[in-house]
Amino acid sequence: MIIKIFETIGLRAYIASFGFSFAVIILIDFCKNYPQWGIENIPDIVIFWLAFILFTLYVSYLQTQKFSSKLSGINLLTFPLVFLFFPIGSGLVFHKILIGILLVFSKYLFVNARHSKFQNKNLFDLSLAISVIVLFNTALAVFYVLPLWLFLNQKLLQVKSLIALIFPAVLIPFTFHGIAILFSAEQLMLFDHALKIDLWNYSEQTNAEWIWFGILSIAIYITLFKRPRGPEQFSEFLFMATWLYLSLIIGFLGLQIGQGRWLLSFIPAAFFVGIFIERTKSDASRNTLIFFGIVFMVLFKLFDFGVLTI
């Protein structure tokens, strides 16, 4: 029944996805704020839900711009489904949302740079997008490996290609420091460049984080054993696998800014869980997997936050 709803992209799939997202967000907000949760929490829930919807539509739009790699209906399910499994952290943080938006757009640029005629333009735009996210956290400079890989792998060994690769990495920091005088000290705190290593501590992990490691294990399994065959699909897969592994490195080293050690891994994890569900052989198996996954996580969160007790 669940899989049938998300079998194809359409109005029914979008409505089901948005409804499921709303239910997940209410559950998480209720658990996080229990027992003080009240009607005053509704505005925050609606804002978060609208952000969820807009992000889903944004990803859907970018996928429609590809030649052969289209959005699957199951992707509309996996985004809220995987969010249900994610360890609960702080609420909306603007710069982290912007980083997610720019990285998703970077995936689109990366695929285009490999499969369109405008390779140098897409290489420039990719380097530009990564240069912007580096402003928020210097550790994200590891994502420069993507345009650098394009430069070397696509054999763009020309002066204009080298300029497309390097110029944004120089332009964005130079421009930012030039206009920094216009920002207040509080606003400049968003652009924290001090790298502070906070190594992952095995003994301090919560049950919710161990569950998230289960999701990450599925994602890693897919990157190793379920690679797609189509050229565009493989380019998309390659970008998301790189994003996943870089997010794990940043998470284990604790190089994130603020809370949310594993937040950067959320979007690639949702991507690979979607592939895992799609590759499950029968609809009955997929429905069972999704249903019991939802039931388990709902009960887990209710008990984990003390809403229910034994």
Side-chain angles (χ1 to χ4, degrees), residues 143-160:
F143 281 91
Y144 277 122
V145 70
L146 291 162
L148 180 60
W149 183 89
L150 278 175
F151 178 76
L152 297 175
N153 186 263
Q154 299 294 104
K155 299 180 180 179
L156 303 176
L157 305 178
Q158 305 170 12
V159 174
K160 59 183 179 181

Side-chain angles (χ1 to χ4, degrees), residues 84-98:
L84 183 61
F85 282 79
F86 190 77
I88 296 173
S90 57
L92 287 172
V93 181
F94 172 75
H95 73 275
K96 293 186 178 181
I97 295 174
L98 181 59

Side-chain angles (χ1 to χ4, degrees), residues 106-118:
S106 295
K107 181 188 73 169
Y108 167 75
L109 296 172
F110 180 84
V111 174
N112 274 4
R114 295 198 71 199
H115 303 286
S116 74
K117 298 178 181 178
F118 307 105

Side-chain angles (χ1 to χ4, degrees), residues 212-226:
W212 183 245
F213 285 163
I215 295 295
L216 293 177
S217 298
I218 293 173
I220 291 170
Y221 168 78
I222 294 297
T223 66
L224 296 175
F225 301 109
K226 299 292 182 179

Side-chain angles (χ1 to χ4, degrees), residues 78-236:
T78 54
F79 195 50
L81 177 64
V82 173
F83 186 64
L84 183 61
F85 282 79
F86 190 77
I88 296 173
S90 57
L92 287 172
V93 181
F94 172 75
H95 73 275
K96 293 186 178 181
I97 295 174
L98 181 59
I99 289 171
I101 290 172
L102 287 173
L103 283 174
V104 169
F105 185 58
S106 295
K107 181 188 73 169
Y108 167 75
L109 296 172
F110 180 84
V111 174
N112 274 4
R114 295 198 71 199
H115 303 286
S116 74
K117 298 178 181 178
F118 307 105
Q119 291 182 318
N120 287 324
K121 178 185 180 302
N122 285 289
L123 178 63
F124 176 88
D125 291 342
L126 177 60
S127 183
L128 186 69
I130 292 172
S131 297
V132 172
I133 67 172
V134 171
L135 290 177
F136 296 102
N137 184 354
T138 307
L140 297 177
V142 293
F143 281 91
Y144 277 122
V145 70
L146 291 162
L148 180 60
W149 183 89
L150 278 175
F151 178 76
L152 297 175
N153 186 263
Q154 299 294 104
K155 299 180 180 179
L156 303 176
L157 305 178
Q158 305 170 12
V159 174
K160 59 183 179 181
S161 300
L162 185 62
I163 292 173
L165 174 67
I166 295 177
F167 185 64
V170 176
L171 174 66
I172 295 301
F174 181 81
T175 302
F176 170 75
H177 288 296
I179 64 173
I181 57 173
L182 302 176
F183 293 94
S184 66
E186 184 178 343
Q187 289 171 324
L188 286 174
M189 287 296 291
L190 287 174
F191 307 97
D192 187 347
H193 287 75
L195 287 178
K196 300 175 183 177
I197 295 178
D198 178 21
L199 291 175
W200 176 71
N201 190 329
Y202 172 91
S203 62
E204 294 179 357
Q205 299 313 295
T206 64
N207 291 331
E209 286 173 308
W210 286 118
I211 289 175
W212 183 245
F213 285 163
I215 295 295
L216 293 177
S217 298
I218 293 173
I220 291 170
Y221 168 78
I222 294 297
T223 66
L224 296 175
F225 301 109
K226 299 292 182 179
R227 298 181 180 182
R229 296 179 181 178
E232 277 197 39
Q233 289 89 339
F234 179 75
S235 295
E236 183 179 40

Side-chain angles (χ1 to χ4, degrees), residues 1-18 56 60 64 70-78 277-278 283 286-287:
M1 177 63 182
I2 300 173
I3 290 298
K4 288 293 182 183
I5 295 174
F6 296 97
E7 203 168 35
T8 58
I9 293 289
L11 182 61
R12 183 176 68 164
Y14 277 107
I15 291 174
S17 175
F18 298 156
T56 302
S60 300
T64 62
K70 301 301 182 183
L71 185 74
S72 167
I74 203 68
N75 296 126
L76 296 177
L77 169 66
T78 54
I277 293 174
E278 283 186 315
D283 284 355
R286 284 183 280 182
N287 281 322

